[in-house]
Amino acid sequence: MVRKRAFLKKDPEVIFRESQALKTLKKGPFITQLYGTFQSEDYLYFAMEYLSGGDLCKLIDDADVPFDITTLRLFAAQMVIGLEYIHSKGIIHRDIKPENILLDGVGNIKIADFGLAAQNVFGNAMTKGCKGTLFYMAPEVFLEMDYNHTVDYFSMGIVLFIMASFRYPFLKDEEDRFDFDLRSSICCTSPDYTAEMDIMLKDFLKKLLCKSQIRREKLVKNLREEPLFIQIDWKDVESGEARPPFHVEPPQEKPRDTLTVFEITYSEAKRKPRLRAEQQQLFKSFSFASEGW
């Protein structure tokens, strides 16, 4: 639920970028599903699939120790499947991070938040623009160079590294966050791999976190064939039969035996002026309903 007025101050196209990407990715594996969009005089609404497992950020925060290789392998496989589908539709996510990876009630991932996505980037086409979250950006993004879909794999590599070690790959010390040039670190510093890290995972991460986009594109071309995935049955993963080895605690809610209707009233004295007709026209094509809703 988002306020229309907030987008009038920025770029109304942002809200359409999110809805258009989700429409394009309907029924895609490991991607949050959009059922429909609708609007009122003041608000835009997204009707999304309900995911009770929270997000990956909370899962990491709640974990006592780094994730084991079995969990990391399945998580990585689901990410590969999801990103392959996204990229096949000409979309680059550009903001892969723990907060944008949601979990269903079982623990399967769902990639979310396509508000910064680049669209219609097919084949050898490139795009540009410093979009995303700096800590998870590939070097070519914040250097404002032309780039392709492999920036999402770089971000995925950072997420996996954090899950495997509970540390950020490019800053040697947590205190460096405040005085170290993060951009320089991402461009020039080698990831600080731990001695305990699984060898196959380490080799996989080196390919994802390759700083050269040209080399990275070659290295990620056949990710399903990586040694890390030798124990993965891709058909089982894609069908949802491969269940995550960890338990996801759903949020605690009271049983709902009755429907509660909330009525929201506005004080006319405090209410801002209504949006003008020409402003409402900016949102005229927003509403839609999927086939199954």
Side-chain angles (χ1 to χ4, degrees):
M1 171 179 167
V2 291
R3 190 184 292 272
K4 288 181 177 179
R5 197 176 296 277
F7 285 95
L8 292 173
K9 296 176 182 177
K10 301 175 184 177
D11 179 10
E13 286 302 314
V14 172
I15 200 72
F16 288 99
R17 188 181 300 130
E18 172 99 19
S19 60
Q20 183 55 51
L22 289 169
K23 290 179 197 176
T24 302
L25 297 170
K26 64 180 180 181
K27 298 182 180 178
F30 305 113
I31 297 163
T32 307
Q33 295 300 299
L34 173 69
Y35 295 129
T37 54
F38 55 98
Q39 59 185 294
S40 65
E41 183 179 340
D42 296 312
Y43 288 91
L44 302 170
Y45 301 88
F46 287 80
M48 306 289 295
E49 107 179 89
Y50 176 59
L51 298 170
S52 63
D55 60 35
L56 183 61
C57 187
K58 183 179 185 303
L59 190 68
I60 293 173
D61 288 343
D62 291 346
D64 296 324
V65 294
F67 293 83
D68 60 80
I69 189 61
T70 303
T71 299
L72 288 165
R73 183 183 292 115
L74 182 57
F75 173 87
Q78 292 184 351
M79 281 292 294
V80 167
I81 293 171
L83 287 177
E84 282 180 348
Y85 186 82
I86 290 169
H87 299 155
S88 74
K89 298 296 184 179
I91 295 174
I92 305 174
H93 189 283
R94 300 201 290 192
D95 199 20
I96 295 294
K97 59 183 179 180
E99 292 88 342
N100 289 341
I101 300 172
L102 307 183
L103 302 169
D104 65 15
V106 177
N108 296 307
I109 72 160
K110 294 281 187 170
I111 300 172
D113 196 346
F114 289 82
L116 298 180
Q119 301 186 51
N120 300 313
V121 188
F122 292 96
N124 296 321
M126 309 280 272
T127 188
K128 65 187 307 180
C130 188
K131 305 286 186 182
T133 303
L134 179 58
F135 273 87
Y136 298 91
M137 280 184 188
E140 58 268 28
V141 178
F142 60 73
L143 291 175
E144 300 195 36
M145 300 165 59
D146 290 344
Y147 55 82
N148 58 23
H149 65 280
T150 62
V151 299
D152 286 343
Y153 290 118
F154 190 92
S155 303
M156 171 186 165
I158 294 177
V159 173
L160 283 171
F161 190 101
I162 292 172
M163 293 178 70
S165 63
F166 279 5
R167 292 186 296 106
Y168 184 73
F170 301 115
L171 296 180
K172 304 295 184 182
D173 194 303
E174 286 295 314
E175 295 179 0
D176 289 342
R177 288 177 182 267
F178 301 102
D179 55 19
F180 193 90
D181 186 345
L182 178 58
R183 291 174 175 82
S184 176
S185 179
I186 294 173
C187 286
C188 306
T189 304
S190 297
D192 189 15
Y193 298 101
T194 63
E196 300 80 18
M197 187 175 289
D198 180 90
I199 294 176
M200 289 186 290
L201 176 62
K202 181 178 178 180
D203 182 63
F204 183 69
L205 291 177
K206 283 184 176 180
K207 294 175 180 178
L208 298 184
L209 295 174
C210 177
K211 298 180 189 298
S212 166
Q213 180 178 206
I214 296 174
R215 283 190 60 221
R216 190 190 318 130
E217 186 170 11
K218 295 177 181 177
L219 292 171
V220 302
K221 208 156 195 174
N222 298 300
L223 287 179
R224 295 194 185 205
E225 298 176 12
E226 285 295 312
L228 176 67
F229 298 128
I230 197 167
Q231 298 179 30
I232 286 290
D233 184 321
W234 291 99
K235 289 184 178 179
D236 281 353
V237 177
E238 289 179 313
S239 67
E241 293 181 21
R243 293 301 181 92
F246 55 82
H247 178 67
V248 175
E249 288 290 345
Q252 297 299 313
E253 296 183 359
K254 295 180 180 179
R256 297 183 179 182
D257 297 326
T258 59
L259 174 66
T260 302
V261 178
F262 295 93
E263 181 178 349
I264 302 175
T265 58
Y266 294 92
S267 165
E268 291 299 326
K270 294 182 179 180
R271 185 184 173 97
K272 292 183 178 181
R274 292 185 173 185
L275 297 181
R276 300 189 304 274
E278 60 268 26
Q279 292 176 316
Q280 292 287 7
Q281 278 292 103
L282 295 173
F283 305 103
K284 65 179 181 180
S285 60
F286 177 74
S287 304
F288 103 103
S290 67
E291 298 166 357
W293 193 35

